Amino acid sequence: MSNVEADEHAEARDGAPVRGGRPTEPPPIEVLPAREVPLGGPRAMSVRRTLPQRTRALIGAWCFADHYGPDDVTATGGMDVPPHPHTGLQTVSWLFSGEIEHRDSLGSHAFVRPGELNLMTGGYGISHSEVSTTDTTVLHGVQLWVALPEAHRNTGRDFQHYAPEPVRVDGAEIRVFLGSLAGDLSPVRTFTPLLGAQIVLEPRAAITLAVDAGFEHGLLVDSGEIRMADTPLRPADLGYVHPGVEALTLVNESDAPARTILLGGLPFEEEIVMWWNFIGRSHDDIAQAREDWTSGSRFGTVHGYDGSPLPAPELPSMPLKPRGRTR
């Protein structure tokens, strides 16, 4: 999905307090509210964006999170994103309902369906299109990005598809699409340690999940009233958990199933510059990527899409500034 909004620079702060050389109790859960962002066009979808924002730019290497739907495509026209470029990142597509046709300049032609992961690696440069299919009546899901570390930022194009089997744990169904959780392990390759999983809790169910204490985590609520630790989370909220936590307790306080997406990863210590659909390390990286897209080089050609590529917006008048992990 194309990121048409230039997000603000995220401020960096000092690390967690330490007493006597030992870390204190981890800070309480931070609730990150979403903001509505239009994707463009008079009938286009709007999305709820929780990453990046001023108070928190990344969760592990997760640097972008859009949550959209349920979207009645008869009213909005659904999703029709022309070929557009990516560099320095991986895109993670996960649907709750509907179907999206994916084409990219690697030659991949695939469909995003509920409960199935499509992960595309931009690396040095890739372009792709995304179109909801004619069979789709309601479109609902998340679009996520992962920042590539400097050592792999210019890696080659890649595309992976994976359909995780559901795992049942204490009144919850879990689908692990990246990393490991609840005894399940995804085979999908990433460039930093990550966790990505859909967790659906039965009405009034409670679960406690062992997690990697070295990770920071974020729980995005799609539906239901969730309590994580002692913090209530409502639909579209993202609850952030600092590193140092060995288990997460989730409670569905509603009388209907509750659906969430759990993200996690080792803190990403590099600063990044993110603008439009590009991730670099400097303003010049972004300017070069934009020039290459405009000139028709570097990103390849998407075959099979009926329409013109998406033009790049103008760069801001002020130089783009790096953003880092908020501590």
Side-chain angles (χ1 to χ4, degrees):
M1 185 179 295
S2 176
N3 173 20
V4 298
E5 178 186 271
D7 290 286
E8 295 185 84
H9 170 57
E11 299 173 348
R13 297 183 298 188
D14 292 335
V18 174
R19 294 179 187 162
R22 295 183 180 181
T24 62
E25 288 297 315
I29 292 168
E30 298 175 15
V31 180
L32 306 179
R35 65 189 185 281
E36 293 285 333
V37 177
L39 291 185
R43 300 175 65 216
M45 296 167 51
S46 65
V47 300
R48 298 173 292 280
R49 183 163 297 166
T50 48
L51 284 180
Q53 53 182 276
R54 181 174 293 277
T55 58
R56 188 150 304 280
L58 300 106
I59 296 177
W62 298 101
C63 61
F64 180 87
D66 272 359
H67 175 212
Y68 56 91
D71 182 65
D72 180 358
V73 302
T74 62
T76 66
M79 182 183 294
D80 187 351
V81 184
H84 58 279
H86 288 292
T87 187
L89 58 86
Q90 293 180 298
T91 65
V92 175
S93 301
W94 185 264
L95 282 179
F96 306 135
S97 64
E99 184 181 63
I100 296 172
E101 185 176 25
H102 164 99
R103 298 177 185 270
D104 65 40
S105 56
L106 182 65
S108 311
H109 180 208
F111 292 89
V112 186
R113 298 185 175 97
E116 300 180 6
L117 171 73
N118 276 10
L119 183 145
M120 184 183 72
T121 300
Y124 182 65
I126 197 170
S127 56
H128 73 137
S129 63
E130 299 161 289
V131 180
S132 51
T133 65
T134 55
D135 292 336
T136 298
T137 56
V138 175
L139 195 59
H140 189 188
V142 292
Q143 181 69 39
L144 312 165
W145 292 358
V146 176
L148 292 174
E150 179 63 24
H152 301 284
R153 183 161 61 93
N154 292 321
T155 192
R157 303 166 185 165
D158 192 26
F159 180 84
Q160 300 173 74
H161 175 88
Y162 176 58
E165 292 293 329
V167 176
R168 298 288 305 179
V169 179
D170 298 333
E173 181 185 88
I174 302 173
R175 295 177 187 266
V176 182
F177 50 86
L178 289 179
S180 63
L181 185 70
D184 196 26
L185 175 65
S186 167
V188 177
R189 301 181 304 279
T190 60
F191 293 86
T192 56
L194 291 174
L195 169 63
Q198 175 181 287
I199 304 173
V200 179
L201 288 86
E202 296 175 357
R204 302 293 171 179
I207 60 168
T208 297
L209 297 168
V211 294
D212 190 325
F215 280 20
E216 49 189 353
H217 292 87
L219 186 76
L220 176 64
V221 178
D222 173 61
S223 62
E225 301 289 331
I226 294 291
R227 185 172 292 275
M228 182 165 61
D230 292 324
T231 304
L233 300 172
R234 296 179 295 178
D237 283 345
L238 191 151
Y240 172 79
V241 184
H242 290 259
V245 173
E246 297 180 344
L248 295 176
T249 297
L250 310 180
V251 180
N252 179 7
E253 298 188 324
S254 58
D255 292 322
R259 181 163 50 206
T260 67
I261 296 291
L262 179 62
L263 306 175
L266 286 178
F268 193 80
E269 301 295 353
E270 300 176 24
E271 289 193 329
I272 63 173
V273 176
M274 187 166 77
W275 178 83
W276 196 42
N277 302 307
F278 307 133
I279 292 181
R281 296 300 183 273
S282 68
H283 177 93
D284 289 345
D285 288 342
I286 302 300
Q288 185 63 58
R290 183 191 181 280
E291 180 180 335
D292 290 344
W293 174 247
T294 301
S295 66
S297 63
R298 179 175 175 175
F299 295 96
T301 301
V302 177
H303 297 286
Y305 178 84
D306 185 15
S308 300
L310 199 65
E314 293 296 324
L315 279 167
S317 56
M318 298 294 290
L320 298 164
K321 297 181 179 180
R323 71 181 81 207
R325 171 177 170 259
T326 303
R327 299 176 189 270

